[in-house]
Amino acid sequence: MTITMTDGSLTCFSRFNLRCVFAIPELPRGELFRFILCSSWDDAHFIGLNAIELFNTAGERPQIDEMKTNATITRGSLDNVFKNGEVNLSTNDPCKMWSARYDNLAELLHIEIRLKKQESIAMIRIWNYNESRVHALCGVHDLRIELDGVTIFQGEISCAFTFENEEESMGDTILFTTNDAILELIAENDKCLRRDEIMRSALDLQELGNDLEAPSRTETISAPNALRPSTGDRRPRVRSTIRSTDQKSTNIDVAEENISKLSVHSCITEKDDGIENDEMKAEQEDIGLFLLKVFHIELLENWGAPDCIGLTGLQFLGPHGIVLDPSDCSITTSTATQTSHRLLNGRNLTRNREDMWLSSYSRNSPPVRVTVTFAEPIIASGICVWNYNASPEMSYAGVRCIQIYVNSKLLQGPILLRKAPGYIHFDYVQDIIFNKCILYKPISRPQTQSINGFTYQLRLHCSWGDEYYIGLNGIEFYDHREELIKLLPQNLAAYPESVNVLPNVNDDPRTSDKLIDGFNDTEKSAFHFIRSYDFMANSSPSHMWLTPILPNRCARVFVVFDFPTYVSRINIYNYRKTTERGARLVTVRFIDNFMKK
């Protein structure tokens, strides 16, 4: 995959080799560790760490006999790196971290530790340096780990641009086994796991449900609003049927005619009523609309949680993509019935577990079923799904694969769902249009250097000198055929959205949707003697995106798809109006990566 960064005078290329240069061994065994800190993120003098955690095959932290480093100038004690037993490893206190000067060394900076005895290592977790947003740049970037002289890991460690109460964990986990028994032993001794969020058995889930005051098995839900909650004003509140169903405008007229037919339904005799309904159903199916009375979802698979599965919310789409008001419907679930009403409570963009529905799950048991029954038939074109989003760890309890039944008839299936991110920097809703369902099937990687995934995240770590603002001109994504992917507003989100989030800024045109408006190389026209008003249009800041730099946060851009999408190249056009505000360091993360070798 290629990432291109364009700043007007310089084009930088960074190519990622998708094939590993070495194989991570299975349960390596040894006594002498050497952690080689090859480079920092962007500090020319110092490099540092918060902590390193080691776990053996018994799930315990091995005892350390001695430790040393070749650094001559250090800040903090080396004992801070191996905080065995401490819970808060993501501290911002520099007195509890370790860093060292490396520009005065003749060889790469390294840390050596000797264990009291030989151990088989199952997992290593690296916590990067996190004193502040600026000082986090001295965290280790490239790390190599050797055990008794043999390389067991070599790669990039994430920059710790997170605050102490940030949603995402800063620890980079390196697994040397996939054995479930060993991983369960590690989980029992891993004090960094949030005990109040991780459910270990169906019994825990049942006890949680019994403690909550919840209505009976069948509930009538009144939706507080008839429109989907939006991520900022840039997202259209009413979706176009043309975009959602890829149909011509004439089909919309047919849909409107069908609605009018329903309104005079009571004036038709029973015989004519049956004939009319048959004609309506045929027309609705032709344009992707269904006359919906009973709706079933079977939850076939989650994203990897051992014994629980859940969702945050559901909404139904009608003609023109308008969200329907389920004011006269009932919802039931085959398990965890006390909390099933939460799926239609309208509070979907949340991390509050009490607004979500969670059930016990086993691969060997019949699939969990969710049933929504409407008092009167409604015309529906699809559903909106918000997956389980309590935390990054618990997002693996979200549903990965579903099967949909409309009026007890299998629609399509199985259907693939996107994993929630575990935070709410963007609206993680996924639209499922009934006549355009993305089937769940094995994904084969094309013979190109490309990545396949749902969500792509660009992190803008620092600017070229401005302490308050950072921005870009535009971004372009190319598929595995090297063709430009047309990005729509619903595919894009930014955090912070733009400078308009500041209290003293209103109606600034440099909003996030300008990243995909096509006016990216805004100074190119200066080198072509074109008409002056064309130059003014291309160099206008209204075709750029600018956002504030928040304390201990980094700006992010999310590109989100409703189905796994191959990406082989990303072009990034840097901010040109004020060059100091352009992004200097950008990292790309692939969430829910479906890459196959």
Side-chain angles (χ1 to χ4, degrees), residues 49 99 145-146 156 194 196 213 235 237 244 291 309 370 372 375 392 415 420 443 464 497 531 541 544 564 570:
L49 287 167
S99 62
I145 304 176
E146 296 178 356
E156 178 182 294
R194 301 175 183 178
D196 60 329
E213 293 183 3
R235 290 194 66 175
R237 298 183 66 86
S244 300
L291 194 62
I309 192 169
V370 178
V372 180
I415 299 170
I443 300 173
W464 278 99
E497 198 282 329
R531 292 170 295 185
M544 306 176 187
I570 301 175

Side-chain angles (χ1 to χ4, degrees), residues 409-594:
K409 178 182 177 182
L410 177 63
L411 178 64
Q412 282 193 41
I415 299 170
L416 183 64
L417 294 188
R418 182 176 64 236
K419 185 171 75 71
Y423 44 82
I424 51 175
H425 293 330
F426 64 94
D427 192 347
Y428 52 92
V429 62
Q430 181 174 355
D431 295 338
I432 300 176
I433 307 303
F434 289 152
N435 68 335
K436 294 183 67 176
C437 298
I438 304 302
L439 299 183
Y440 178 76
K441 57 185 178 181
I443 300 173
S444 60
R445 180 179 160 200
Q447 299 301 315
T448 59
Q449 287 191 334
S450 57
I451 296 291
N452 190 28
F454 277 112
T455 306
Y456 298 82
Q457 178 186 166
L458 279 67
R459 287 195 173 195
L460 283 60
H461 294 285
C462 59
S463 69
W464 278 99
D466 196 295
E467 298 181 2
Y468 302 100
Y469 298 98
I470 192 169
L472 295 173
N473 269 27
I475 56 175
E476 293 176 342
F477 277 60
Y478 290 82
D479 63 17
H480 59 284
R481 299 184 182 90
E482 288 293 326
E483 296 177 355
L484 180 66
I485 299 174
K486 178 62 176 177
L487 298 177
L488 300 174
Q490 62 265 28
N491 297 125
L492 187 74
Y495 174 82
E497 198 282 329
S498 69
V499 290
N500 289 298
V501 302
L502 299 175
N504 58 340
V505 179
N506 293 303
D507 300 325
D508 191 291
R510 292 168 292 183
T511 51
S512 61
D513 59 309
K514 304 306 188 300
L515 290 169
I516 57 173
D517 67 356
F519 295 93
N520 298 324
D521 206 359
T522 55
E523 289 185 1
K524 181 180 292 185
S525 57
F527 302 100
H528 300 278
F529 299 98
I530 61 175
R531 292 170 295 185
S532 60
Y533 60 83
D534 287 336
F535 168 72
M536 293 298 294
N538 284 344
S539 61
S540 169
S542 62
H543 296 298
M544 306 176 187
W545 170 67
L546 189 68
T547 192
I549 297 176
L550 302 181
N552 296 299
R553 298 290 191 275
C554 61
R556 313 182 194 194
V557 176
F558 299 91
V559 177
V560 185
F561 299 98
D562 282 339
F563 51 88
T565 301
Y566 286 105
V567 174
S568 62
R569 177 158 58 98
I570 301 175
N571 287 353
I572 302 175
Y573 296 84
N574 219 342
Y575 193 80
R576 290 189 175 180
K577 185 175 184 292
T578 307
T579 56
E580 292 81 5
R581 294 178 176 178
R584 181 181 181 185
L585 180 62
V586 179
T587 59
V588 179
R589 291 189 175 187
F590 311 99
I591 305 174
D592 304 328
N593 188 3
F594 281 81

Side-chain angles (χ1 to χ4, degrees), residues 20 22-28 151-154 174-177:
C20 297
F22 73 100
I24 294 181
E26 178 80 13
L27 297 176
T151 299
I152 61 174
F153 174 80
Q154 181 174 344
I174 306 167
L175 287 176
F176 297 97
T177 182

Side-chain angles (χ1 to χ4, degrees), residues 1 40 80-81 83 175 178 226 264 405 433-434 458 507 580:
M1 178 177 176
S40 69
N80 293 337
V81 178
K83 308 181 180 77
L175 287 176
T178 56
V264 297
Y405 295 82
I433 307 303
F434 289 152
L458 279 67
D507 300 325
E580 292 81 5

Side-chain angles (χ1 to χ4, degrees), residues 167-454:
E167 302 90 347
E168 295 177 87
S169 169
M170 291 178 298
D172 280 21
T173 300
I174 306 167
L175 287 176
F176 297 97
T177 182
T178 56
N179 185 287
D180 290 338
I182 296 177
L183 295 178
E184 288 179 3
L185 292 174
I186 293 175
E188 291 177 0
N189 296 285
D190 191 351
K191 296 183 179 181
C192 297
L193 294 179
R194 301 175 183 178
R195 298 287 183 179
D196 60 329
E197 290 188 354
I198 296 182
M199 308 297 178
R200 298 199 174 278
S201 66
L203 180 61
D204 295 332
L205 295 169
Q206 186 62 39
E207 291 175 352
L208 176 64
N210 293 337
D211 292 338
L212 296 173
E213 293 183 3
S216 59
R217 181 180 180 89
T218 303
E219 286 292 330
T220 300
I221 307 299
S222 296
N225 59 329
L227 291 175
R228 175 192 311 167
S230 61
T231 309
D233 294 334
R234 56 181 177 74
R235 290 194 66 175
R237 298 183 66 86
V238 179
R239 289 175 175 258
S240 168
T241 304
I242 299 177
R243 187 178 72 243
S244 300
T245 61
D246 199 24
Q247 301 293 331
K248 297 181 180 180
S249 59
T250 54
N251 291 336
I252 300 178
D253 298 332
V254 177
E256 292 175 346
E257 182 181 352
N258 289 337
I259 297 175
S260 63
K261 290 178 181 179
L262 280 181
S263 64
V264 297
H265 175 77
S266 58
C267 301
I268 306 174
T269 62
E270 292 184 2
K271 181 177 179 180
D272 292 339
D273 184 29
I275 298 174
E276 190 75 3
N277 279 336
D278 291 340
E279 294 176 353
M280 288 166 54
K281 289 178 181 178
E283 291 176 347
Q284 290 157 6
E285 290 178 359
D286 288 341
I287 63 174
L289 299 177
F290 291 82
L291 194 62
L292 185 60
K293 173 68 174 178
V294 180
F295 181 80
H296 298 282
I297 303 179
E298 285 187 351
L299 313 183
L300 304 181
E301 182 182 352
N302 67 9
W303 275 94
D307 50 18
C308 52
I309 192 169
L311 291 168
T312 297
L314 299 172
Q315 284 183 341
F316 290 87
L317 295 174
H320 303 273
I322 298 176
V323 176
L324 300 176
D325 180 8
S327 57
D328 192 14
C329 71
S330 61
I331 183 168
T332 61
T333 53
S334 57
T335 59
T337 59
Q338 297 91 340
T339 57
S340 59
H341 65 285
R342 297 175 179 176
L343 291 173
L344 296 178
N345 64 8
R347 295 188 290 272
N348 300 317
L349 196 60
T350 179
R351 293 182 66 242
N352 186 355
R353 193 173 61 191
E354 295 186 359
D355 287 329
M356 306 177 191
W357 172 80
L358 189 66
S359 169
S360 59
Y361 167 75
S362 173
R363 291 181 179 271
N364 301 322
S365 300
V368 179
R369 172 171 285 201
V370 178
T371 303
V372 180
T373 305
F374 293 88
E376 296 293 336
I378 64 169
I379 295 180
S381 62
I383 59 170
C384 306
V385 179
W386 285 263
N387 225 331
Y388 198 80
N389 193 55
S391 68
E393 294 83 5
M394 285 302 295
S395 66
Y396 288 91
V399 182
R400 183 178 186 181
C401 182
I402 64 173
Q403 204 153 247
I404 292 178
Y405 295 82
V406 174
N407 301 329
S408 301
K409 178 182 177 182
L410 177 63
L411 178 64
Q412 282 193 41
I415 299 170
L416 183 64
L417 294 188
R418 182 176 64 236
K419 185 171 75 71
Y423 44 82
I424 51 175
H425 293 330
F426 64 94
D427 192 347
Y428 52 92
V429 62
Q430 181 174 355
D431 295 338
I432 300 176
I433 307 303
F434 289 152
N435 68 335
K436 294 183 67 176
C437 298
I438 304 302
L439 299 183
Y440 178 76
K441 57 185 178 181
I443 300 173
S444 60
R445 180 179 160 200
Q447 299 301 315
T448 59
Q449 287 191 334
S450 57
I451 296 291
N452 190 28
F454 277 112

